[in-house]
Amino acid sequence: MGKLVFLPFSIGGGLLAGLIGKKLFGLIWGVIDDQEPPQSEHRDVRIGKLALALAIEGALASVIKGFVDHGSRHAFTRLTGSWPGEEAPDSE
């Protein structure tokens, strides 16, 4: 039941993480290059530049999503007293 109640927190957190990631990527790319970041749909783009942009964007998205998700789970726990997920990673 707790996971179902947490679903709106998760969706909202995902949207927030996306907005933060997009803004932060724009700031970081502005330091790297004065042009807009290359996208996969651009025809004339150097592969190395595209790879760098995608790697930075992907890493930022993953880190920010993880931090926002973890933070929203802590906030949910403070509100409800129930942790919406696993307590710790499974041991091998």
Side-chain angles (χ1 to χ4, degrees):
M1 181 67 169
K3 289 182 183 182
L4 184 62
V5 175
F6 178 69
L7 189 60
F9 281 82
S10 179
I11 292 170
L15 292 172
L16 177 64
L19 292 173
I20 293 170
K22 189 173 195 132
K23 186 69 170 174
L24 188 57
F25 174 67
L27 292 171
I28 290 171
W29 190 260
V31 172
I32 294 171
D33 196 356
D34 58 348
Q35 295 180 345
E36 71 177 53
Q39 300 293 320
S40 59
E41 66 264 11
H42 292 157
R43 181 177 181 172
D44 296 323
V45 63
R46 290 187 358 242
I47 295 298
K49 194 173 184 179
L50 177 62
L52 177 63
L54 293 173
I56 292 170
E57 190 174 26
L60 279 174
S62 181
V63 167
I64 292 170
K65 182 186 178 308
F67 282 154
V68 169
D69 183 56
H70 191 70
S72 65
R73 289 175 188 274
H74 277 283
F76 182 82
T77 301
R78 283 191 294 275
L79 288 172
T80 66
S82 173
W83 180 261
E86 302 295 323
E87 292 293 323
D90 292 334
S91 59
E92 293 188 35

